[in-house]
Amino acid sequence: MPQWLCNQLMRAFLKKDRRQIRLLNDCWYFYRTSQRQGDDSVTL
C-alpha cells in the first residue's frame, strides 16, 4: 500500500470520518485490482 494512502487512512480513522474511509478504501481496491491485472495505464 502506498505511503500516502496509509497516511490518509490513518487521518481518516483518527477523525472517525466514515465518508473519507470509504473513499480511500475504494481507491485502494481499485488500485490493487488494477495492479493485479497488469494495467499500467492507471496511476493514482
mmCIF file of all heavy atoms in Angstrom:
data_model
loop_
_atom_site.group_PDB
_atom_site.id
_atom_site.type_symbol
_atom_site.label_atom_id
_atom_site.label_comp_id
_atom_site.label_asym_id
_atom_site.label_seq_id
_atom_site.Cartn_x
_atom_site.Cartn_y
_atom_site.Cartn_z
ATOM 1 N N MET A 1 0.848 -1.176 0.000
ATOM 2 C CA MET A 1 0.000 0.000 0.000
ATOM 3 C C MET A 1 0.892 1.238 0.000
ATOM 4 O O MET A 1 1.832 1.308 0.787
ATOM 5 C CB MET A 1 -0.892 -0.013 1.255
ATOM 6 C CG MET A 1 -1.809 1.173 1.369
ATOM 7 S SD MET A 1 -2.867 1.176 2.825
ATOM 8 C CE MET A 1 -3.968 -0.141 2.468
ATOM 9 N N PRO A 2 0.609 2.187 -0.873
ATOM 10 C CA PRO A 2 1.428 3.406 -0.926
ATOM 11 C C PRO A 2 1.380 4.173 0.395
ATOM 12 O O PRO A 2 0.359 4.182 1.087
ATOM 13 C CB PRO A 2 0.789 4.230 -2.042
ATOM 14 C CG PRO A 2 -0.061 3.287 -2.812
ATOM 15 C CD PRO A 2 -0.428 2.186 -1.887
ATOM 16 N N GLN A 3 2.487 4.814 0.716
ATOM 17 C CA GLN A 3 2.585 5.535 1.992
ATOM 18 C C GLN A 3 1.568 6.665 2.094
ATOM 19 O O GLN A 3 0.991 6.898 3.152
ATOM 20 C CB GLN A 3 4.004 6.079 2.174
ATOM 21 C CG GLN A 3 4.262 6.636 3.561
ATOM 22 C CD GLN A 3 4.073 5.597 4.653
ATOM 23 O OE1 GLN A 3 4.515 4.466 4.510
ATOM 24 N NE2 GLN A 3 3.417 5.947 5.729
ATOM 25 N N TRP A 4 1.319 7.373 0.989
ATOM 26 C CA TRP A 4 0.357 8.475 1.033
ATOM 27 C C TRP A 4 -1.033 7.974 1.388
ATOM 28 O O TRP A 4 -1.779 8.636 2.111
ATOM 29 C CB TRP A 4 0.320 9.237 -0.304
ATOM 30 C CG TRP A 4 -0.129 8.410 -1.472
ATOM 31 C CD1 TRP A 4 0.648 7.686 -2.315
ATOM 32 C CD2 TRP A 4 -1.478 8.215 -1.902
ATOM 33 N NE1 TRP A 4 -0.132 7.050 -3.253
ATOM 34 C CE2 TRP A 4 -1.443 7.352 -3.024
ATOM 35 C CE3 TRP A 4 -2.713 8.672 -1.454
ATOM 36 C CZ2 TRP A 4 -2.584 6.953 -3.700
ATOM 37 C CZ3 TRP A 4 -3.854 8.272 -2.128
ATOM 38 C CH2 TRP A 4 -3.784 7.420 -3.239
ATOM 39 N N LEU A 5 -1.373 6.769 0.920
ATOM 40 C CA LEU A 5 -2.682 6.204 1.225
ATOM 41 C C LEU A 5 -2.760 5.783 2.691
ATOM 42 O O LEU A 5 -3.777 6.002 3.353
ATOM 43 C CB LEU A 5 -2.966 5.030 0.300
ATOM 44 C CG LEU A 5 -4.347 4.408 0.387
ATOM 45 C CD1 LEU A 5 -5.436 5.429 0.096
ATOM 46 C CD2 LEU A 5 -4.461 3.258 -0.588
ATOM 47 N N CYS A 6 -1.683 5.206 3.198
ATOM 48 C CA CYS A 6 -1.631 4.847 4.623
ATOM 49 C C CYS A 6 -1.822 6.073 5.501
ATOM 50 O O CYS A 6 -2.584 6.025 6.476
ATOM 51 C CB CYS A 6 -0.295 4.191 4.963
ATOM 52 S SG CYS A 6 -0.089 2.545 4.333
ATOM 53 N N ASN A 7 -1.142 7.159 5.152
ATOM 54 C CA ASN A 7 -1.253 8.386 5.951
ATOM 55 C C ASN A 7 -2.670 8.934 5.932
ATOM 56 O O ASN A 7 -3.205 9.336 6.977
ATOM 57 C CB ASN A 7 -0.286 9.446 5.429
ATOM 58 C CG ASN A 7 1.158 9.062 5.641
ATOM 59 O OD1 ASN A 7 1.475 8.223 6.477
ATOM 60 N ND2 ASN A 7 2.037 9.658 4.862
ATOM 61 N N GLN A 8 -3.291 8.958 4.770
ATOM 62 C CA GLN A 8 -4.646 9.488 4.681
ATOM 63 C C GLN A 8 -5.644 8.598 5.402
ATOM 64 O O GLN A 8 -6.575 9.085 6.038
ATOM 65 C CB GLN A 8 -5.044 9.682 3.226
ATOM 66 C CG GLN A 8 -4.333 10.844 2.587
ATOM 67 C CD GLN A 8 -4.918 11.201 1.241
ATOM 68 O OE1 GLN A 8 -5.998 10.759 0.878
ATOM 69 N NE2 GLN A 8 -4.203 12.011 0.498
ATOM 70 N N LEU A 9 -5.456 7.283 5.306
ATOM 71 C CA LEU A 9 -6.332 6.372 6.038
ATOM 72 C C LEU A 9 -6.192 6.560 7.543
ATOM 73 O O LEU A 9 -7.187 6.555 8.279
ATOM 74 C CB LEU A 9 -6.021 4.915 5.669
ATOM 75 C CG LEU A 9 -6.803 4.337 4.517
ATOM 76 C CD1 LEU A 9 -6.212 3.000 4.106
ATOM 77 C CD2 LEU A 9 -8.266 4.199 4.853
ATOM 78 N N MET A 10 -4.975 6.740 8.006
ATOM 79 C CA MET A 10 -4.742 6.950 9.428
ATOM 80 C C MET A 10 -5.454 8.218 9.905
ATOM 81 O O MET A 10 -6.124 8.218 10.944
ATOM 82 C CB MET A 10 -3.245 7.053 9.714
ATOM 83 C CG MET A 10 -2.905 7.157 11.177
ATOM 84 S SD MET A 10 -3.357 5.689 12.123
ATOM 85 C CE MET A 10 -2.128 4.562 11.547
ATOM 86 N N ARG A 11 -5.335 9.290 9.129
ATOM 87 C CA ARG A 11 -6.014 10.544 9.491
ATOM 88 C C ARG A 11 -7.525 10.367 9.509
ATOM 89 O O ARG A 11 -8.202 10.869 10.401
ATOM 90 C CB ARG A 11 -5.649 11.654 8.510
ATOM 91 C CG ARG A 11 -4.392 12.365 8.904
ATOM 92 C CD ARG A 11 -4.167 13.579 8.004
ATOM 93 N NE ARG A 11 -2.832 13.429 7.450
ATOM 94 C CZ ARG A 11 -2.519 13.438 6.170
ATOM 95 N NH1 ARG A 11 -3.425 13.642 5.261
ATOM 96 N NH2 ARG A 11 -1.281 13.281 5.783
ATOM 97 N N ALA A 12 -8.055 9.661 8.520
ATOM 98 C CA ALA A 12 -9.497 9.451 8.448
ATOM 99 C C ALA A 12 -9.985 8.626 9.638
ATOM 100 O O ALA A 12 -11.038 8.924 10.219
ATOM 101 C CB ALA A 12 -9.858 8.760 7.139
ATOM 102 N N PHE A 13 -9.229 7.602 10.025
ATOM 103 C CA PHE A 13 -9.616 6.797 11.177
ATOM 104 C C PHE A 13 -9.550 7.606 12.466
ATOM 105 O O PHE A 13 -10.420 7.489 13.332
ATOM 106 C CB PHE A 13 -8.746 5.539 11.297
ATOM 107 C CG PHE A 13 -9.274 4.375 10.518
ATOM 108 C CD1 PHE A 13 -8.673 4.008 9.322
ATOM 109 C CD2 PHE A 13 -10.359 3.645 10.956
ATOM 110 C CE1 PHE A 13 -9.163 2.940 8.587
ATOM 111 C CE2 PHE A 13 -10.850 2.573 10.234
ATOM 112 C CZ PHE A 13 -10.249 2.221 9.045
ATOM 113 N N LEU A 14 -8.525 8.428 12.602
ATOM 114 C CA LEU A 14 -8.405 9.246 13.809
ATOM 115 C C LEU A 14 -9.536 10.269 13.918
ATOM 116 O O LEU A 14 -10.015 10.561 15.015
ATOM 117 C CB LEU A 14 -7.045 9.944 13.848
ATOM 118 C CG LEU A 14 -5.846 9.029 14.073
ATOM 119 C CD1 LEU A 14 -4.543 9.816 13.938
ATOM 120 C CD2 LEU A 14 -5.924 8.351 15.425
ATOM 121 N N LYS A 15 -9.959 10.805 12.783
ATOM 122 C CA LYS A 15 -11.059 11.777 12.774
ATOM 123 C C LYS A 15 -12.433 11.109 12.770
ATOM 124 O O LYS A 15 -13.445 11.792 12.859
ATOM 125 C CB LYS A 15 -10.951 12.675 11.539
ATOM 126 C CG LYS A 15 -9.791 13.624 11.565
ATOM 127 C CD LYS A 15 -9.811 14.475 10.301
ATOM 128 C CE LYS A 15 -8.648 15.427 10.267
ATOM 129 N NZ LYS A 15 -8.667 16.234 9.029
ATOM 130 N N LYS A 16 -12.429 9.773 12.613
ATOM 131 C CA LYS A 16 -13.661 8.992 12.509
ATOM 132 C C LYS A 16 -14.539 9.482 11.352
ATOM 133 O O LYS A 16 -15.758 9.593 11.462
ATOM 134 C CB LYS A 16 -14.437 9.023 13.827
ATOM 135 C CG LYS A 16 -13.687 8.376 14.973
ATOM 136 C CD LYS A 16 -14.489 8.433 16.248
ATOM 137 C CE LYS A 16 -13.844 7.620 17.322
ATOM 138 N NZ LYS A 16 -12.766 8.259 18.006
ATOM 139 N N ASP A 17 -13.865 9.774 10.245
ATOM 140 C CA ASP A 17 -14.532 10.273 9.043
ATOM 141 C C ASP A 17 -14.903 9.088 8.153
ATOM 142 O O ASP A 17 -14.103 8.634 7.331
ATOM 143 C CB ASP A 17 -13.598 11.247 8.315
ATOM 144 C CG ASP A 17 -14.246 11.924 7.124
ATOM 145 O OD1 ASP A 17 -15.391 11.559 6.774
ATOM 146 O OD2 ASP A 17 -13.596 12.813 6.551
ATOM 147 N N ARG A 18 -16.113 8.599 8.318
ATOM 148 C CA ARG A 18 -16.533 7.391 7.601
ATOM 149 C C ARG A 18 -16.562 7.592 6.092
ATOM 150 O O ARG A 18 -16.234 6.685 5.333
ATOM 151 C CB ARG A 18 -17.915 6.951 8.075
ATOM 152 C CG ARG A 18 -17.890 6.406 9.463
ATOM 153 C CD ARG A 18 -19.249 5.932 9.863
ATOM 154 N NE ARG A 18 -19.214 5.399 11.221
ATOM 155 C CZ ARG A 18 -20.239 4.834 11.801
ATOM 156 N NH1 ARG A 18 -21.384 4.745 11.174
ATOM 157 N NH2 ARG A 18 -20.118 4.377 13.023
ATOM 158 N N ARG A 19 -16.972 8.767 5.646
ATOM 159 C CA ARG A 19 -17.024 9.040 4.211
ATOM 160 C C ARG A 19 -15.635 8.944 3.592
ATOM 161 O O ARG A 19 -15.435 8.323 2.545
ATOM 162 C CB ARG A 19 -17.624 10.423 3.966
ATOM 163 C CG ARG A 19 -17.861 10.729 2.502
ATOM 164 C CD ARG A 19 -18.352 12.152 2.298
ATOM 165 N NE ARG A 19 -17.383 13.134 2.739
ATOM 166 C CZ ARG A 19 -16.353 13.553 2.003
ATOM 167 N NH1 ARG A 19 -16.151 13.066 0.811
ATOM 168 N NH2 ARG A 19 -15.514 14.453 2.473
ATOM 169 N N GLN A 20 -14.642 9.535 4.258
ATOM 170 C CA GLN A 20 -13.265 9.501 3.761
ATOM 171 C C GLN A 20 -12.704 8.080 3.803
ATOM 172 O O GLN A 20 -11.992 7.660 2.884
ATOM 173 C CB GLN A 20 -12.393 10.454 4.588
ATOM 174 C CG GLN A 20 -10.982 10.592 4.086
ATOM 175 C CD GLN A 20 -10.888 11.425 2.823
ATOM 176 O OE1 GLN A 20 -11.868 11.973 2.344
ATOM 177 N NE2 GLN A 20 -9.705 11.520 2.279
ATOM 178 N N ILE A 21 -13.029 7.330 4.843
ATOM 179 C CA ILE A 21 -12.562 5.946 4.950
ATOM 180 C C ILE A 21 -13.102 5.119 3.794
ATOM 181 O O ILE A 21 -12.374 4.359 3.160
ATOM 182 C CB ILE A 21 -12.959 5.333 6.308
ATOM 183 C CG1 ILE A 21 -12.203 6.026 7.437
ATOM 184 C CG2 ILE A 21 -12.693 3.839 6.324
ATOM 185 C CD1 ILE A 21 -12.727 5.701 8.817
ATOM 186 N N ARG A 22 -14.391 5.281 3.494
ATOM 187 C CA ARG A 22 -14.986 4.542 2.378
ATOM 188 C C ARG A 22 -14.340 4.925 1.052
ATOM 189 O O ARG A 22 -14.057 4.065 0.215
ATOM 190 C CB ARG A 22 -16.488 4.810 2.313
ATOM 191 C CG ARG A 22 -17.257 4.083 3.364
ATOM 192 C CD ARG A 22 -18.747 4.192 3.118
ATOM 193 N NE ARG A 22 -19.470 3.799 4.314
ATOM 194 C CZ ARG A 22 -20.178 4.623 5.065
ATOM 195 N NH1 ARG A 22 -20.283 5.895 4.745
ATOM 196 N NH2 ARG A 22 -20.787 4.182 6.136
ATOM 197 N N LEU A 23 -14.118 6.218 0.848
ATOM 198 C CA LEU A 23 -13.500 6.691 -0.386
ATOM 199 C C LEU A 23 -12.095 6.109 -0.551
ATOM 200 O O LEU A 23 -11.734 5.599 -1.620
ATOM 201 C CB LEU A 23 -13.448 8.214 -0.399
ATOM 202 C CG LEU A 23 -12.749 8.841 -1.590
ATOM 203 C CD1 LEU A 23 -13.608 8.679 -2.839
ATOM 204 C CD2 LEU A 23 -12.470 10.297 -1.322
ATOM 205 N N LEU A 24 -11.299 6.173 0.509
ATOM 206 C CA LEU A 24 -9.931 5.653 0.439
ATOM 207 C C LEU A 24 -9.921 4.141 0.267
ATOM 208 O O LEU A 24 -9.060 3.591 -0.429
ATOM 209 C CB LEU A 24 -9.153 6.060 1.689
ATOM 210 C CG LEU A 24 -8.871 7.562 1.793
ATOM 211 C CD1 LEU A 24 -8.365 7.902 3.182
ATOM 212 C CD2 LEU A 24 -7.899 8.014 0.732
ATOM 213 N N ASN A 25 -10.873 3.460 0.890
ATOM 214 C CA ASN A 25 -10.985 2.013 0.719
ATOM 215 C C ASN A 25 -11.290 1.675 -0.734
ATOM 216 O O ASN A 25 -10.705 0.745 -1.303
ATOM 217 C CB ASN A 25 -12.069 1.474 1.639
ATOM 218 C CG ASN A 25 -12.074 -0.027 1.681
ATOM 219 O OD1 ASN A 25 -11.043 -0.660 1.785
ATOM 220 N ND2 ASN A 25 -13.255 -0.607 1.581
ATOM 221 N N ASP A 26 -12.190 2.442 -1.349
ATOM 222 C CA ASP A 26 -12.492 2.220 -2.763
ATOM 223 C C ASP A 26 -11.270 2.487 -3.628
ATOM 224 O O ASP A 26 -11.014 1.753 -4.583
ATOM 225 C CB ASP A 26 -13.645 3.122 -3.208
ATOM 226 C CG ASP A 26 -14.980 2.674 -2.645
ATOM 227 O OD1 ASP A 26 -15.075 1.524 -2.176
ATOM 228 O OD2 ASP A 26 -15.924 3.491 -2.670
ATOM 229 N N CYS A 27 -10.511 3.531 -3.293
ATOM 230 C CA CYS A 27 -9.279 3.832 -4.040
ATOM 231 C C CYS A 27 -8.293 2.677 -3.944
ATOM 232 O O CYS A 27 -7.682 2.277 -4.938
ATOM 233 C CB CYS A 27 -8.620 5.098 -3.505
ATOM 234 S SG CYS A 27 -9.500 6.601 -3.904
ATOM 235 N N TRP A 28 -8.126 2.131 -2.750
ATOM 236 C CA TRP A 28 -7.192 1.022 -2.548
ATOM 237 C C TRP A 28 -7.639 -0.211 -3.318
ATOM 238 O O TRP A 28 -6.841 -0.880 -3.973
ATOM 239 C CB TRP A 28 -7.048 0.709 -1.063
ATOM 240 C CG TRP A 28 -6.277 -0.544 -0.796
ATOM 241 C CD1 TRP A 28 -6.715 -1.650 -0.155
ATOM 242 C CD2 TRP A 28 -4.928 -0.827 -1.188
ATOM 243 N NE1 TRP A 28 -5.733 -2.601 -0.119
ATOM 244 C CE2 TRP A 28 -4.624 -2.133 -0.745
ATOM 245 C CE3 TRP A 28 -3.962 -0.103 -1.865
ATOM 246 C CZ2 TRP A 28 -3.394 -2.711 -0.961
ATOM 247 C CZ3 TRP A 28 -2.728 -0.704 -2.090
ATOM 248 C CH2 TRP A 28 -2.452 -1.988 -1.632
ATOM 249 N N TYR A 29 -8.951 -0.496 -3.286
ATOM 250 C CA TYR A 29 -9.468 -1.658 -4.009
ATOM 251 C C TYR A 29 -9.229 -1.485 -5.510
ATOM 252 O O TYR A 29 -8.764 -2.405 -6.174
ATOM 253 C CB TYR A 29 -10.959 -1.837 -3.719
ATOM 254 C CG TYR A 29 -11.559 -2.994 -4.457
ATOM 255 C CD1 TYR A 29 -11.349 -4.308 -4.031
ATOM 256 C CD2 TYR A 29 -12.327 -2.798 -5.599
ATOM 257 C CE1 TYR A 29 -11.883 -5.375 -4.717
ATOM 258 C CE2 TYR A 29 -12.863 -3.854 -6.289
ATOM 259 C CZ TYR A 29 -12.645 -5.144 -5.853
ATOM 260 O OH TYR A 29 -13.170 -6.184 -6.543
ATOM 261 N N PHE A 30 -9.514 -0.295 -6.036
ATOM 262 C CA PHE A 30 -9.301 -0.018 -7.453
ATOM 263 C C PHE A 30 -7.828 -0.143 -7.818
ATOM 264 O O PHE A 30 -7.458 -0.762 -8.813
ATOM 265 C CB PHE A 30 -9.824 1.372 -7.788
ATOM 266 C CG PHE A 30 -9.657 1.752 -9.223
ATOM 267 C CD1 PHE A 30 -10.486 1.234 -10.202
ATOM 268 C CD2 PHE A 30 -8.651 2.632 -9.601
ATOM 269 C CE1 PHE A 30 -10.324 1.584 -11.534
ATOM 270 C CE2 PHE A 30 -8.480 2.985 -10.925
ATOM 271 C CZ PHE A 30 -9.311 2.462 -11.891
ATOM 272 N N TYR A 31 -6.959 0.437 -7.006
ATOM 273 C CA TYR A 31 -5.514 0.389 -7.236
ATOM 274 C C TYR A 31 -5.007 -1.052 -7.221
ATOM 275 O O TYR A 31 -4.259 -1.475 -8.101
ATOM 276 C CB TYR A 31 -4.811 1.210 -6.166
ATOM 277 C CG TYR A 31 -3.308 1.168 -6.212
ATOM 278 C CD1 TYR A 31 -2.598 1.977 -7.087
ATOM 279 C CD2 TYR A 31 -2.594 0.326 -5.361
ATOM 280 C CE1 TYR A 31 -1.215 1.943 -7.131
ATOM 281 C CE2 TYR A 31 -1.216 0.285 -5.398
ATOM 282 C CZ TYR A 31 -0.537 1.086 -6.282
ATOM 283 O OH TYR A 31 0.826 1.037 -6.321
ATOM 284 N N ARG A 32 -5.451 -1.806 -6.225
ATOM 285 C CA ARG A 32 -4.986 -3.180 -6.077
ATOM 286 C C ARG A 32 -5.449 -4.053 -7.236
ATOM 287 O O ARG A 32 -4.672 -4.836 -7.770
ATOM 288 C CB ARG A 32 -5.495 -3.747 -4.751
ATOM 289 C CG ARG A 32 -4.931 -5.095 -4.411
ATOM 290 C CD ARG A 32 -5.448 -5.567 -3.101
ATOM 291 N NE ARG A 32 -6.905 -5.484 -3.121
ATOM 292 C CZ ARG A 32 -7.709 -6.282 -2.443
ATOM 293 N NH1 ARG A 32 -7.219 -7.187 -1.656
ATOM 294 N NH2 ARG A 32 -9.010 -6.151 -2.520
ATOM 295 N N THR A 33 -6.705 -3.941 -7.644
ATOM 296 C CA THR A 33 -7.195 -4.764 -8.746
ATOM 297 C C THR A 33 -6.549 -4.365 -10.063
ATOM 298 O O THR A 33 -6.281 -5.222 -10.889
ATOM 299 C CB THR A 33 -8.727 -4.691 -8.867
ATOM 300 O OG1 THR A 33 -9.129 -3.341 -8.989
ATOM 301 C CG2 THR A 33 -9.400 -5.327 -7.671
ATOM 302 N N SER A 34 -6.277 -3.079 -10.250
ATOM 303 C CA SER A 34 -5.629 -2.667 -11.496
ATOM 304 C C SER A 34 -4.180 -3.156 -11.539
ATOM 305 O O SER A 34 -3.665 -3.483 -12.607
ATOM 306 C CB SER A 34 -5.689 -1.152 -11.669
ATOM 307 O OG SER A 34 -4.906 -0.502 -10.711
ATOM 308 N N GLN A 35 -3.515 -3.232 -10.400
ATOM 309 C CA GLN A 35 -2.144 -3.737 -10.350
ATOM 310 C C GLN A 35 -2.112 -5.240 -10.625
ATOM 311 O O GLN A 35 -1.200 -5.733 -11.277
ATOM 312 C CB GLN A 35 -1.506 -3.451 -8.988
ATOM 313 C CG GLN A 35 -1.236 -1.989 -8.741
ATOM 314 C CD GLN A 35 -0.254 -1.408 -9.728
ATOM 315 O OE1 GLN A 35 0.764 -2.017 -10.021
ATOM 316 N NE2 GLN A 35 -0.559 -0.244 -10.249
ATOM 317 N N ARG A 36 -3.101 -5.955 -10.134
ATOM 318 C CA ARG A 36 -3.134 -7.403 -10.351
ATOM 319 C C ARG A 36 -3.378 -7.741 -11.808
ATOM 320 O O ARG A 36 -2.902 -8.745 -12.301
ATOM 321 C CB ARG A 36 -4.231 -8.040 -9.496
ATOM 322 C CG ARG A 36 -3.852 -8.152 -8.050
ATOM 323 C CD ARG A 36 -4.894 -8.898 -7.291
ATOM 324 N NE ARG A 36 -4.520 -8.981 -5.890
ATOM 325 C CZ ARG A 36 -5.330 -9.359 -4.934
ATOM 326 N NH1 ARG A 36 -6.565 -9.701 -5.201
ATOM 327 N NH2 ARG A 36 -4.916 -9.421 -3.687
ATOM 328 N N GLN A 37 -4.134 -6.906 -12.490
ATOM 329 C CA GLN A 37 -4.436 -7.167 -13.890
ATOM 330 C C GLN A 37 -3.286 -6.726 -14.785
ATOM 331 O O GLN A 37 -3.308 -6.987 -15.984
ATOM 332 C CB GLN A 37 -5.717 -6.429 -14.290
ATOM 333 C CG GLN A 37 -6.940 -6.975 -13.613
ATOM 334 C CD GLN A 37 -8.178 -6.122 -13.897
ATOM 335 O OE1 GLN A 37 -8.075 -5.087 -14.541
ATOM 336 N NE2 GLN A 37 -9.303 -6.548 -13.399
ATOM 337 N N GLY A 38 -2.298 -6.041 -14.226
ATOM 338 C CA GLY A 38 -1.161 -5.597 -15.021
ATOM 339 C C GLY A 38 -1.464 -4.386 -15.864
ATOM 340 O O GLY A 38 -0.790 -4.131 -16.844
ATOM 341 N N ASP A 39 -2.474 -3.619 -15.467
ATOM 342 C CA ASP A 39 -2.862 -2.426 -16.216
ATOM 343 C C ASP A 39 -1.980 -1.265 -15.779
ATOM 344 O O ASP A 39 -2.170 -0.684 -14.743
ATOM 345 C CB ASP A 39 -4.332 -2.110 -15.949
ATOM 346 C CG ASP A 39 -4.831 -0.934 -16.757
ATOM 347 O OD1 ASP A 39 -4.092 -0.483 -17.659
ATOM 348 O OD2 ASP A 39 -5.935 -0.452 -16.482
ATOM 349 N N ASP A 40 -0.999 -0.920 -16.609
ATOM 350 C CA ASP A 40 -0.067 0.154 -16.278
ATOM 351 C C ASP A 40 -0.608 1.525 -16.648
ATOM 352 O O ASP A 40 0.003 2.539 -16.343
ATOM 353 C CB ASP A 40 1.275 -0.067 -16.967
ATOM 354 C CG ASP A 40 1.963 -1.297 -16.433
ATOM 355 O OD1 ASP A 40 1.718 -1.662 -15.263
ATOM 356 O OD2 ASP A 40 2.752 -1.883 -17.176
ATOM 357 N N SER A 41 -1.756 1.586 -17.310
ATOM 358 C CA SER A 41 -2.305 2.876 -17.718
ATOM 359 C C SER A 41 -2.956 3.608 -16.551
ATOM 360 O O SER A 41 -3.224 4.792 -16.645
ATOM 361 C CB SER A 41 -3.326 2.688 -18.843
ATOM 362 O OG SER A 41 -4.433 1.948 -18.378
ATOM 363 N N VAL A 42 -3.222 2.922 -15.444
ATOM 364 C CA VAL A 42 -3.848 3.550 -14.283
ATOM 365 C C VAL A 42 -2.781 3.935 -13.283
ATOM 366 O O VAL A 42 -2.052 3.087 -12.781
ATOM 367 C CB VAL A 42 -4.870 2.575 -13.624
ATOM 368 C CG1 VAL A 42 -5.457 3.206 -12.385
ATOM 369 C CG2 VAL A 42 -5.937 2.194 -14.606
ATOM 370 N N THR A 43 -2.678 5.209 -13.001
ATOM 371 C CA THR A 43 -1.749 5.679 -11.981
ATOM 372 C C THR A 43 -2.504 6.601 -11.043
ATOM 373 O O THR A 43 -3.194 7.513 -11.475
ATOM 374 C CB THR A 43 -0.560 6.435 -12.591
ATOM 375 O OG1 THR A 43 -1.064 7.506 -13.386
ATOM 376 C CG2 THR A 43 0.311 5.516 -13.422
ATOM 377 N N LEU A 44 -2.385 6.330 -9.757
ATOM 378 C CA LEU A 44 -3.044 7.157 -8.744
ATOM 379 C C LEU A 44 -2.026 7.945 -7.976
ATOM 380 O O LEU A 44 -0.936 7.574 -7.775
ATOM 381 C CB LEU A 44 -3.866 6.296 -7.774
ATOM 382 C CG LEU A 44 -5.019 5.543 -8.395
ATOM 383 C CD1 LEU A 44 -5.658 4.631 -7.357
ATOM 384 C CD2 LEU A 44 -6.060 6.490 -8.932
#
